[in-house]
């Protein structure tokens, strides 16, 4: 449940969306410097730590704290700009692009996103999932028809395009836009991945959903085949902001951006193979995005439940934890025993990321041993992230040196 | 086995059935969309705390039924009522008519069950812009308290989309729990012995807080209903896997919180902020306390 952190959000909406007055429907081609500091672990920990759930008195204090953190973040981001993944939210107007970002990264409730005005200016969000996975999302005003007018300007430097398709409307225009965007990218030689969210799927009767999915997929691949684009990098997902599917889809999208993914997965596989743990997820507790998991298949409902464990942990910790510290600290853990013989276990990795493990009750876990194993895993994951971060800065230094020569 | 009659009244579409479905029938707020208008009176029996049966009378609010309640069915409906819950839809355009029906209810209550406790729920508050909620609620509250004289009513603002629903229903149900004072005394004893910051007692099915003991003051006065909400949401998620949760432990460096089954009908939540007390100690303490509370429940039901 979202407790509507309204004080903070209202100021956010007023600052960045700026829908009062006439704004030309054109792209502003410079970096938008003060889009809100979204979903940085530190930023969000401010929201949880003070008594801000239903008391709206601490706005001013929070704003100044946020500005401080924004300065810190801006500093960090300057060095990482070159190699960072850049995502573009693309799709017809009113398809749901901004709602998705607000829901996942700003913890807006689904009901509130319905009241969002149309996006008229480009919003650039610098986001992190769990401190080390950094990426940029560009949220643009969507065209009313399938025209590529501003696409070139919007899509410059994008590494991935997240295409949102509203399945409750007549989607032939949307498919045309998608196909022409893919064509454009192909013609200009950009190797860009398209992640298509078949969105608002809650408006489709359940038995029909898979059918729609395959129709759209087939139609798109046929149309691309006609333009002689073979094997395009496109993934399709069925999503809705009213359930967990959007988090799942975005988790996969974020995972596709992560260079650390393969290594992380291998690490987690090793652990599940050699211990009693059945399944391990690495999750950012503020966005509820899964950064990685071991490759054993799991019931979707069970992975949804793991997400809900995060809700329980953050809910209870924000009530009973003291407001000065971060919600997730080195002694955090949460265990929940279920009647179906499973135990869900949450443990911290760093202040924004947690490990969520599923184990069977009957496996007679030696708790102390599990503590030791998980601590080792935690340290290794931290080192892995640090190593990747160092390597990328080293690469940037190298490139800058060569360009001077 | 004690039976207590609870009347749920209010205009059609006010939210009576939705509320009762969420609290007692494990509906999620989204699920209530598929509920239709209640025809005449729907009676349900909810077992509460093992030894108590709540006989809920959900009275359909369409005009034809309302007229009937004050005429032909008056005796039947308004006799032996322990609690009257009247639901006002905050967005209603016919405030006068609502108040008129409310007053008719009060008259009938005065006549047939004048000891009944009266609760007014100003419902659907989520549809009111946030900055006007307080003023609107206070206005309505003053009005209702005035109109209800000589009877006393307690007003709550509620919405199925947040935790205010649990606050109102916890207070309502608290009035019905037998020997609630004795329960609180036992709980306080327990808290003192194990050095807990706070102990909450929940009814098992609804997770409404029926009793609590706070030894260390806390900054958030709305925490009880928030916790009911958090756990209820988790329970709903578990039920998708046809599972239920049995126990929970949440801790970080500043607190530790244990949610365990205490008696067959209640769950206890123990919050401890002393880091030197290990989990095992608290769990053993809870286990030992079970016998005391079970005995207490048995004694109460015998009486």
């Amino acid at each position: 449940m979202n407790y509507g952190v309204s004080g903070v959000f209202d100021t956010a909406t007023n600052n960045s969306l700026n829908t009062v007055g006439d704004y030309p429907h054109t792209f502003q081609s410079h970096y938008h410097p003060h889009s809100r500091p979204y979903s940085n672990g530190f930023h969000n920990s401010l929201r949880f730590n003070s008594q801000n759930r239903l008391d709206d008195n601490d706005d001013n204090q929070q704003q100044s704290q946020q500005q401080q953190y924004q300065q810190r973040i801006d500093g960090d981001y300057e060095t990482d700009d070159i190699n960072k993944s850049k995502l573009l939210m693309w799709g017809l107007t009113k398809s749901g692009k901004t709602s998705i970002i607000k829901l996942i990264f700003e913890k807006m409730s689904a009901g509130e996103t319905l009241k969002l005005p149309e996006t008229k200016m480009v919003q650039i969000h610098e986001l992190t999932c769990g401190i080390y996975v950094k990426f940029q999302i560009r949220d643009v005003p969507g065209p009313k028809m399938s025209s590529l007018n501003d696409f070139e300007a919007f899509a410059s430097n994008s590494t991935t395009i997240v295409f949102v398709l509203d399945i409750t409307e007549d989607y032939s225009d949307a498919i045309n836009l998608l196909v022409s965007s893919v064509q454009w990218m192909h013609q200009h030689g950009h190797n860009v991945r398209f992640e298509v969210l078949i969105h608002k799927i809650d408006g489709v009767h359940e038995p029909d959903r898979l059918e729609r999915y395959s129709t759209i997929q087939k139609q798109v691949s046929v149309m691309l085949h006609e333009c002689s684009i073979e094997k395009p990098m496109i993934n399709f997902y069925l999503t809705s902001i009213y359930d967990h599917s959007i988090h799942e889809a975005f988790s996969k999208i974020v995972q596709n951006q992560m260079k650390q993914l393969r290594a992380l997965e291998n690490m987690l596989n090793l652990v599940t193979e050699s211990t009693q743990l059945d399944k391990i997820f690495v999750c950012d507790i503020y966005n509820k995005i899964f950064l990685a998991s071991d490759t054993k298949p799991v019931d979707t409902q069970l992975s949804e439940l793991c997400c809900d464990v995060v809700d329980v942990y953050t809910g209870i910790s924000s009530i009973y934890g003291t407001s000065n510290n971060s919600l997730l600290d080195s002694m955090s853990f949460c265990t929940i025993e279920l009647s179906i013989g499973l135990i869900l276990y949450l443990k911290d990795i760093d202040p924004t990321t947690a490990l969520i493990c599923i184990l069977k009750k009957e496996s007679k876990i030696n708790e102390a041993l599990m503590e030791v194993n998980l601590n080792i895993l935690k340290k290794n994951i931290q080192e892995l992230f640090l190593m990747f971060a160092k390597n990328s800065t080293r690469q940037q230094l190298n490139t800058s040196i060569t360009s001077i020569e | 086995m004690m039976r207590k009659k609870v009347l749920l009244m209010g205009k059609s579409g006010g939210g009576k059935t939705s509320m009762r479905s969420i609290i007692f029938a494990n509906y999620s707020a989204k699920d209530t969309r598929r509920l239709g208008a209640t025809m005449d009176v729907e009676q349900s029996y909810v077992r509460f705390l093992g030894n108590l049966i709540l006989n809920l009378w959900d009275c359909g609010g369409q005009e034809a039924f309302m007229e009937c309640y004050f005429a032909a069915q008056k005796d039947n409906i308004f006799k032996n009522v322990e609690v009257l819950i009247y639901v006002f839809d905050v967005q209603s355009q016919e405030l006068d008519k609502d108040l008129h029906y409310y007053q008719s209810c009060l008259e009938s209550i005065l006549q047939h069950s004048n000891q009944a406790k009266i609760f007014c729920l100003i419902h659907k508050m989520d549809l009111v812009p946030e900055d006007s909620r307080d003023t609107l609620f206070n206005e309505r509250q003053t009005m209702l308290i005035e109109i209800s004289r000589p009877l006393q009513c307690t007003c709550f603002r509620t919405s199925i989309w947040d935790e205010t629903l649990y606050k109102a229903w916890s207070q309502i149900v608290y009035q019905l729990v037998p020997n609630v004072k004795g329960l609180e005394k036992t709980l306080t004893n327990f808290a003192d012995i194990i050095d807990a910051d706070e102990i909450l007692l929940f009814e098992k099915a609804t997770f409404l807080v029926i009793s609590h003991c706070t030894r260390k003051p806390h900054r958030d006065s709305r925490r009880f209903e928030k916790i009911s909400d958090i756990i209820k949401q988790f329970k709903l998620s578990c039920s998708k896997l046809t599972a239920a949760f049995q126990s929970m432990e949440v801790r970080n460096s500043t607190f530790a919180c244990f949610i365990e089954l205490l008696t067959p009908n209640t769950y206890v939540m123990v919050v401890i902020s002393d880091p030197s007390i290990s989990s095992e100690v608290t769990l053993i303490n809870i286990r030992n306390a079970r016998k005391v509370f079970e005995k207490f429940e048995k004694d109460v039901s015998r009486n």
Side-chain angles (χ1 to χ4, degrees):
Chain A
M1 270 251 167
N2 177 36
Y3 289 112
V5 189
S6 56
V8 179
F9 284 148
D10 282 348
T11 29
T13 327
N14 289 336
N15 281 341
S16 45
L17 285 182
N18 284 330
T19 49
V20 181
D22 284 314
Y23 276 87
H25 189 84
T26 52
F27 173 55
Q28 302 212 311
S29 58
H30 44 270
Y31 188 100
H32 199 251
H34 279 293
S35 44
R36 304 290 300 168
Y38 295 124
S39 187
N40 171 289
F42 306 112
H43 167 66
N44 276 315
S45 67
L46 292 173
R47 286 214 285 272
F48 283 110
N49 286 339
S50 48
Q51 54 257 52
N52 54 14
R53 289 265 163 131
L54 291 166
D55 307 343
D56 298 318
N57 301 326
D58 300 303
D59 280 358
N60 294 331
Q61 192 201 14
Q62 281 168 21
Q63 277 211 318
S64 58
Q65 278 179 321
Q66 280 162 21
Q67 280 166 10
Q68 276 177 17
Y69 277 124
Q70 168 71 328
Q71 287 162 7
R72 247 176 88 177
I73 299 158
D74 280 342
D76 286 344
Y77 282 118
E78 274 155 33
T79 46
D80 289 340
D81 209 29
I82 311 170
N83 283 332
K84 203 196 298 182
S85 306
K86 294 186 176 58
L87 283 77
L88 173 70
M89 297 295 288
W90 189 229
L92 293 177
T93 184
K94 287 256 149 218
S95 50
K97 306 180 286 300
T98 310
S99 301
I100 293 176
I101 296 192
K102 296 274 179 193
L103 184 90
I104 298 182
F105 296 103
E106 284 177 50
K107 300 220 128 207
M108 197 179 267
S109 75
E112 282 169 37
T113 62
L114 295 176
K115 304 179 197 157
L116 282 172
E118 220 175 287
T119 311
K120 291 214 162 56
M121 281 176 61
V122 177
Q123 305 286 310
I124 300 187
H125 309 296
E126 303 287 351
L127 301 168
T128 55
C129 281
I131 300 187
Y132 292 106
V133 180
K134 295 183 183 163
F135 50 94
Q136 180 196 83
I137 294 190
R138 218 177 275 187
D139 183 18
V140 305
K144 289 202 174 51
M145 286 174 300
S146 72
S147 66
L148 282 181
N149 286 341
D150 297 314
F151 187 58
E152 180 171 348
F154 290 158
S156 59
N157 301 326
S158 297
T159 52
T160 299
I161 300 203
V162 179
F163 192 92
V164 181
L165 190 149
D166 180 349
I167 201 173
T168 57
E169 302 278 334
D170 174 19
Y171 49 81
S172 47
D173 260 351
I175 293 194
N176 288 333
L177 181 62
L178 172 62
V179 171
S180 28
S181 310
V182 178
Q183 252 186 299
W184 190 95
M185 280 295 174
H186 187 78
Q187 280 163 2
H188 289 75
H190 297 307
N191 199 11
V192 164
R193 185 202 305 265
F194 277 77
E195 311 267 22
V196 180
L197 302 182
I198 302 178
H199 197 49
K200 304 193 191 175
I201 197 73
D202 50 285
V204 173
H205 199 42
E206 217 174 304
D208 302 332
R209 291 178 191 177
L210 275 180
E211 195 207 312
R212 296 277 187 110
Y213 178 93
S214 47
T215 321
I216 294 181
Q217 208 179 9
K218 251 181 245 155
Q219 209 177 335
V220 171
S221 54
V222 161
M223 285 169 86
L224 288 177
H225 184 70
E226 284 168 8
C227 320
S228 43
I229 301 178
E230 306 291 342
K231 299 192 198 288
M233 281 205 291
I234 297 196
N235 294 323
F236 292 87
Y237 308 90
L238 289 175
T239 59
S240 160
I241 52 173
Y242 290 106
D243 61 36
H244 190 252
S245 55
I246 186 63
H247 287 273
E248 247 186 80
F250 233 87
S251 292
K252 296 212 181 79
I253 294 176
V254 170
Q255 284 173 19
N256 288 338
Q257 310 299 316
M258 283 170 65
K259 297 168 292 211
Q260 310 94 327
L261 187 65
R262 191 64 60 74
L264 255 180
E265 280 181 352
N266 287 338
M267 208 188 277
L268 295 175
N269 280 336
L270 271 173
V271 176
T272 49
E273 280 161 24
S274 45
T275 65
Q276 305 273 38
L277 298 170
D278 277 349
K279 183 87 187 147
I280 309 183
F281 293 98
V282 175
C283 183
D284 173 318
I285 63 166
Y286 294 107
N287 309 323
K288 297 195 288 182
I289 294 225
F290 285 154
L291 295 173
S293 75
D294 65 280
T295 50
K296 220 186 288 181
V298 73
D299 205 2
T300 353
Q301 285 156 333
L302 200 46
S303 62
E304 265 182 58
L305 199 61
C306 290
C307 245
D308 295 327
V309 173
V310 173
D311 280 332
V312 170
Y313 178 81
T314 42
I316 296 186
S317 309
S318 51
I319 295 177
Y320 286 109
T322 49
S323 39
N324 304 324
N325 311 330
S326 139
L327 276 185
L328 197 58
D329 59 29
S330 53
M331 282 185 59
S332 296
F333 83 61
C334 170
T335 100
I336 300 184
E337 192 179 311
L338 298 180
S339 60
I340 47 179
L342 289 180
I343 300 186
L344 303 172
Y345 197 90
L346 181 148
K347 186 179 166 56
D348 73 296
I349 297 177
D350 57 48
T352 57
T353 344
L355 280 171
I356 305 174
C357 316
I358 305 178
L359 32 126
K360 292 207 188 48
K361 184 170 174 208
E362 67 213 16
S363 352
K364 305 242 187 267
I365 303 268
N366 179 338
E367 291 211 8
L369 200 56
M370 184 169 79
E371 258 308 289
V372 169
N373 283 334
L374 285 178
N375 276 328
I376 296 177
L377 177 61
K378 164 181 164 179
K379 227 188 301 170
N380 279 301
I381 294 183
Q382 288 173 336
E383 277 179 27
L384 180 81
F385 276 128
L386 267 171
M387 186 182 76
F388 269 92
K390 275 203 206 107
N391 275 346
S392 60
T393 30
R394 215 177 294 145
Q395 279 172 7
Q396 284 161 38
L397 286 176
N398 287 339
T399 42
S400 52
I401 291 172
T402 44
S403 56
I404 292 171
E405 281 179 303
Chain B
M1 195 71 74
M2 247 180 293
R3 278 191 194 201
K4 300 208 176 175
K5 178 170 167 183
V6 176
L7 273 191
L8 197 49
M9 298 196 91
K11 209 176 73 160
S12 177
K16 307 179 286 297
T17 312
S18 298
M19 279 199 273
R20 132 170 109 85
S21 310
I22 292 178
I23 299 276
F24 296 107
N26 287 326
Y27 274 51
S28 74
K30 262 197 297 176
D31 293 337
T32 59
R33 264 190 255 165
R34 37 186 169 104
L35 288 169
T38 311
M39 293 298 143
D40 204 7
V41 180
E42 257 178 43
Q43 277 199 47
S44 52
Y45 293 88
V46 176
R47 198 170 173 144
F48 202 77
L49 283 184
N51 48 16
L52 177 62
I53 296 203
L54 293 182
N55 183 199
L56 281 175
W57 290 50
D58 182 356
C59 305
Q62 288 174 18
E63 275 193 44
F65 301 134
M66 294 285 260
E67 299 296 334
C68 220
Y69 301 149
F70 303 120
Q73 293 196 38
K74 197 156 149 206
D75 280 358
N76 180 28
I77 292 191
F78 289 98
K79 266 211 166 87
N80 296 322
V81 173
E82 291 274 345
V83 167
L84 166 68
I85 305 172
Y86 203 91
V87 180
F88 292 93
D89 179 345
V90 77
Q91 291 210 315
S92 160
Q93 303 293 336
E94 303 174 309
L95 192 54
D96 288 335
K97 212 182 198 179
D98 297 341
L99 292 173
H100 165 72
Y101 279 131
Y102 176 59
Q103 280 176 307
S104 310
C105 274
L106 290 181
E107 276 163 26
S108 313
I109 286 276
L110 202 52
Q111 214 183 346
H112 296 278
S113 315
N114 56 11
Q115 298 297 316
K117 304 211 178 55
I118 303 174
F119 294 92
C120 295
L121 303 186
I122 319 279
H123 194 49
K124 303 195 189 172
M125 286 301 275
D126 53 287
L127 297 173
V128 173
E130 199 148 343
D131 37 20
S132 23
R133 282 179 200 171
D134 283 334
T135 26
L136 185 54
F137 174 67
N138 289 330
E139 249 176 61
R140 296 283 169 96
Q141 184 172 263
T142 337
M143 192 182 357
L144 288 169
I145 292 183
E146 187 60 46
I147 294 185
S148 308
R149 297 223 173 95
L151 293 165
Q152 284 184 323
C153 78
T154 318
C155 299
F156 290 103
R157 41 187 274 189
T158 55
S159 161
I160 57 172
W161 298 100
D162 61 36
E163 77 287 351
T164 51
L165 183 67
Y166 294 97
K167 175 170 180 186
W169 283 84
S170 270
Q171 305 273 45
I172 293 172
V173 144
Y174 179 85
Q175 304 292 329
L176 301 165
V177 173
N179 197 1
V180 75
K181 293 292 174 195
L183 192 55
E184 276 177 358
K185 198 155 160 281
T186 320
L187 213 58
T188 314
N189 241 353
F190 181 40
D192 285 335
I193 295 174
I194 66 171
D195 205 18
D197 283 10
E198 182 156 76
I199 302 193
L200 302 183
L201 199 64
F202 300 96
E203 194 276 334
K204 181 173 165 184
T206 58
F207 254 89
L208 293 172
V209 177
I210 52 176
S211 187
H212 72 96
C213 163
T214 307
R215 289 172 76 236
K216 199 166 156 196
H218 195 277
R219 60 182 186 266
D220 187 352
S221 57
R222 306 190 225 208
R223 62 193 183 282
F224 298 149
E225 48 269 23
K226 284 184 195 173
I227 293 178
S228 287
D229 191 13
I230 292 171
I231 301 188
K232 200 74 195 286
Q233 296 307 312
F234 187 72
K235 270 187 76 169
L236 283 176
S237 299
C238 288
S239 61
K240 285 191 220 148
L241 286 158
T242 52
F245 89 87
Q246 293 183 320
S247 67
M248 227 188 254
E249 180 182 339
V250 179
R251 61 157 65 215
N252 73 19
S253 58
T254 55
F255 78 98
C257 161
F258 303 86
I259 302 179
E260 298 278 333
L261 191 66
L262 189 64
T263 69
N265 306 300
T266 56
Y267 262 85
V268 69
M269 177 165 126
V270 175
V271 181
I272 294 187
S273 58
D274 181 346
S276 64
I277 302 179
S278 73
S279 311
E280 287 70 29
V281 168
T282 313
L283 291 171
I284 290 176
N285 284 331
I286 296 177
R287 204 188 312 151
N288 290 338
R290 283 196 184 123
K291 306 186 194 102
V292 175
F293 283 93
E294 275 176 24
K295 182 166 180 296
F296 181 87
E297 243 180 50
K298 274 210 198 86
D299 288 343
V300 168
S301 56
R302 223 177 293 141
N303 299 342

